[in-house]
Amino acid sequence: CSRKMPTCRLLSLHVQEAHDSFFAEMAKREPMYECLVEGCKKKFKGDFQRHWHLVNVHHYPKTFRFHFEPSKSQKKDKSFGSKKSWKEKKLKLPAAGGVLGCAIDDDALAEE
């Protein structure tokens, strides 16, 4: 996929959660979804529980979604802006929109 994340950790979490079949099987058995906030060690059984935690503990906006792009109605919303999405503004992505200094094996990603 072509998702771009502001940190290596978030990119790694995305690759695991969205593209790793072993992760999907393990998540059925135990909490595997890590909190997205650096330093928070909480793990959850699913993305829904993590989202609740992010909103209620770390004060993320209710509209925040880790794996999904904003819907068309959200893109039209002024809070997302016309040139940059809300996440790009909030997380201050590099100009190229990628992750600087992050070693990701393109061959491994191509297999998924």
Side-chain angles (χ1 to χ4, degrees), residues 19-33:
H19 305 288
D20 185 348
S21 58
F22 181 71
F23 178 92
E25 287 301 313
M26 289 300 295
K28 293 177 184 176
R29 295 173 176 81
E30 61 187 75
M32 295 286 293
Y33 290 83

Side-chain angles (χ1 to χ4, degrees), residues 73-82 84 86 89:
S73 64
Q74 288 173 323
K75 284 183 180 179
K76 291 178 184 177
D77 185 350
K78 291 180 182 178
S79 65
F80 283 90
S82 58
K84 289 184 178 179
W86 174 87
K89 287 179 181 176

Side-chain angles (χ1 to χ4, degrees), residues 93-105:
L93 293 173
V99 179
L100 301 176
C102 193
I104 297 290
D105 184 0

Side-chain angles (χ1 to χ4, degrees), residues 19 105-112:
H19 305 288
D105 184 0
D106 290 335
D107 295 332
L109 292 176
E111 294 172 5
E112 298 178 22

